[in-house]
Amino acid sequence: VPVNRVPAVVGLPAEAAIAQLEAAGFQVEVQYSPTEDKNARGSVGFQAPGPGAKLSPGAVVAIIVYEYEGSGQGSNGDD
């Protein structure tokens, strides 16, 4: 059974991370996490499994992407 190594994508923009993971033959599960750091928004904060893990092609790699939740942004019921 062929195995592929999981690339390191933490710190990359989400689009680049997804592209790299898909190019390596993996499916990507994206979850979002709020952040108050403007500079972190849209970037990958965590991946599982980590870089260098050996998975079968088509396996799922989960990433957490930061979503900026600063003042005046987001519509999650700020009444």
Side-chain angles (χ1 to χ4, degrees):
V1 180
V3 293
N4 296 353
R5 282 188 184 272
V6 176
V9 298
V10 170
L12 294 178
E15 297 78 20
I18 292 165
Q20 281 197 24
L21 290 166
E22 288 180 344
F26 302 116
Q27 295 183 54
V28 185
E29 176 185 315
V30 182
Q31 297 172 359
Y32 294 91
S33 176
T35 180
E36 292 177 8
D37 180 358
K38 266 186 201 161
N39 298 322
R41 74 174 151 202
S43 66
V44 177
F46 182 77
Q47 69 178 82
K54 295 177 186 171
L55 297 178
S56 303
V60 175
V61 176
I63 61 173
I64 292 179
V65 176
Y66 288 126
E67 276 190 318
Y68 177 60
E69 290 194 352
S71 55
Q73 294 221 341
S75 53
N76 345 11
D78 299 309
D79 295 328

